[in-house]
Amino acid sequence: MANISRRGFSIGVSCGIAQFIASSGQARTAASINWDDPSERLHTMIRIMGRTDEGVAIRWIKGVLSGIVDQETTQLLGVSQQIFTRHQRKDDGSFDAVYLELVYFTDLETGKVLDKWNNPYTGRKVTVPAQVLGPTRIKIPMSLSVINEPYAMEGIKNKHWLEPLPIVGGDVAFNERIDSYVPPMTKGGAPLKFHEVFAFRAPFEMLADRSSSHVPATVDKVNVISWRPWMEMSEINGVSMSRGAGRVIVNYDELPMDLNRNNKEFYPDVVRDMDGYLKI
């Protein structure tokens, strides 16, 4: 992935560091970002969750997937997620975007990517997928109500939006939220229902130079989702919950070592051709 990590990704982070050093003594008050102006607000959000120069950004998160049955929570698997994104600003201030997601389920103790898993609820050993999801193309208008259509299959219901939060304590924060329903994919199968929240946060002083296309940011995630079909748990009354934390980066080489290693083992061709996958 040299063409991305050392060109597309690294340019953004190098510029960001230089701009921060130049402006570090000139931190502004929250009043210098008009959080109520739709165009400025969305532009600021994209600088935090991605990039405004049409380069590739990576949102990486590591956490734990738990099961909730009879109001009791049981940790089941580690889960790591990488969302590769590209955003393109339109003349009206809205953005077109494309996402590609890599997901690994791992052993809680060793962190090793699993291909088989002993389900403690059913006693069955099941096959665990490593997943590539997307590419998914969306539109983000200044109303912040994300447009996902057309959907990959009939019957999908999806509400996807950005939720700004008050600027307090020197940080700019907002949520990306998704409520979704996916109908059964097989005859007699169960539908998939989930609610997912990504919480982004960046120091206000890093946003002071508005020419920077990206600012370093943290991201936390929580989702509540019905059992995934591969878990083979249709007879168990419960849900799963994932919690995790990570960062948004623009330099591929800043990925945690285990994620970089997993990508080389499972999806080297995908990572190598990321520019091709993320065409808008």
Side-chain angles (χ1 to χ4, degrees):
M1 194 175 172
N3 63 323
I4 294 179
S5 64
R6 292 172 177 81
R7 281 210 314 251
F9 284 118
S10 59
I11 289 173
V13 73
S14 298
C15 291
I17 292 172
Q19 289 158 348
F20 171 62
I21 292 173
S23 62
S24 60
Q26 303 172 6
R28 305 177 185 179
T29 66
S32 67
I33 288 182
N34 186 355
W35 203 228
D36 294 323
D37 177 78
S39 179
E40 184 172 354
R41 180 177 57 197
L42 178 56
H43 192 266
T44 300
M45 288 177 167
I46 302 303
R47 291 173 66 200
I48 293 171
M49 67 189 293
R51 293 169 63 167
T52 58
D53 62 357
E54 302 184 19
V56 176
I58 311 172
R59 178 192 318 180
W60 68 261
I61 295 167
K62 297 168 68 174
V64 174
L65 185 153
S66 301
I68 304 175
V69 175
D70 294 331
Q71 300 183 10
E72 182 176 346
T73 302
T74 303
Q75 292 191 350
L76 302 177
L77 296 158
V79 59
S80 63
Q81 179 181 38
Q82 300 162 76
I83 300 178
F84 295 78
T85 66
R86 190 191 303 277
H87 294 82
Q88 182 182 76
R89 191 177 189 274
K90 312 305 288 184
D91 290 341
D92 63 359
S94 67
F95 282 82
D96 287 344
V98 58
Y99 290 12
L100 183 79
E101 184 175 349
L102 302 181
V103 180
Y104 300 109
F105 297 98
T106 60
D107 181 83
L108 286 170
E109 294 184 3
T110 67
K112 182 180 178 180
V113 176
L114 297 174
D115 57 4
K116 299 290 183 182
W117 173 59
N118 292 314
N119 188 326
Y121 292 113
T122 66
R124 291 191 290 266
K125 179 178 284 190
V126 300
T127 299
V128 181
Q131 296 178 320
V132 178
L133 304 175
T136 301
R137 289 172 174 81
I138 64 174
K139 297 181 182 296
I140 311 175
M142 285 183 285
S143 68
L144 307 183
S145 295
V146 178
I147 302 169
N148 292 78
E149 298 176 344
Y151 297 122
M153 62 182 291
E154 187 176 352
I156 291 178
K157 299 177 182 178
N158 197 72
K159 182 180 179 183
H160 184 174
W161 72 103
L162 303 182
E163 178 183 59
L165 301 174
I167 298 178
V168 295
D171 287 337
V172 176
F174 66 95
N175 297 327
E176 181 178 16
R177 303 183 64 159
I178 304 171
D179 285 325
S180 191
Y181 169 89
V182 180
M185 299 183 186
T186 60
K187 186 175 181 179
L192 197 65
K193 307 173 184 177
F194 69 89
H195 177 68
E196 188 166 65
V197 180
F198 295 93
F200 297 91
R201 185 174 297 273
F204 178 82
E205 63 182 15
M206 300 293 283
L207 292 156
D209 182 353
R210 306 203 184 184
S211 66
S212 62
S213 63
H214 170 76
V215 294
T218 61
V219 57
D220 297 294
K221 171 195 168 180
V222 60
N223 72 17
V224 177
I225 183 171
S226 52
W227 304 126
R228 295 159 175 82
W230 59 264
M231 290 181 163
E232 299 182 10
M233 294 176 66
S234 58
E235 75 273 26
I236 306 296
N237 185 18
V239 296
S240 68
M241 178 182 72
S242 297
R243 292 189 63 90
R247 303 195 66 85
V248 183
I249 60 175
V250 293
N251 186 341
Y252 185 86
D253 294 334
E254 291 182 359
L255 272 178
M257 291 180 60
D258 58 329
L259 299 185
N260 196 327
R261 181 177 62 248
N262 292 341
N263 292 345
K264 288 180 180 178
E265 179 177 355
F266 292 96
Y267 297 115
D269 293 340
V270 173
V271 174
R272 190 178 301 115
D273 191 32
M274 192 58 66
D275 273 328
Y277 282 98
L278 295 183
K279 290 186 182 299
I280 296 180

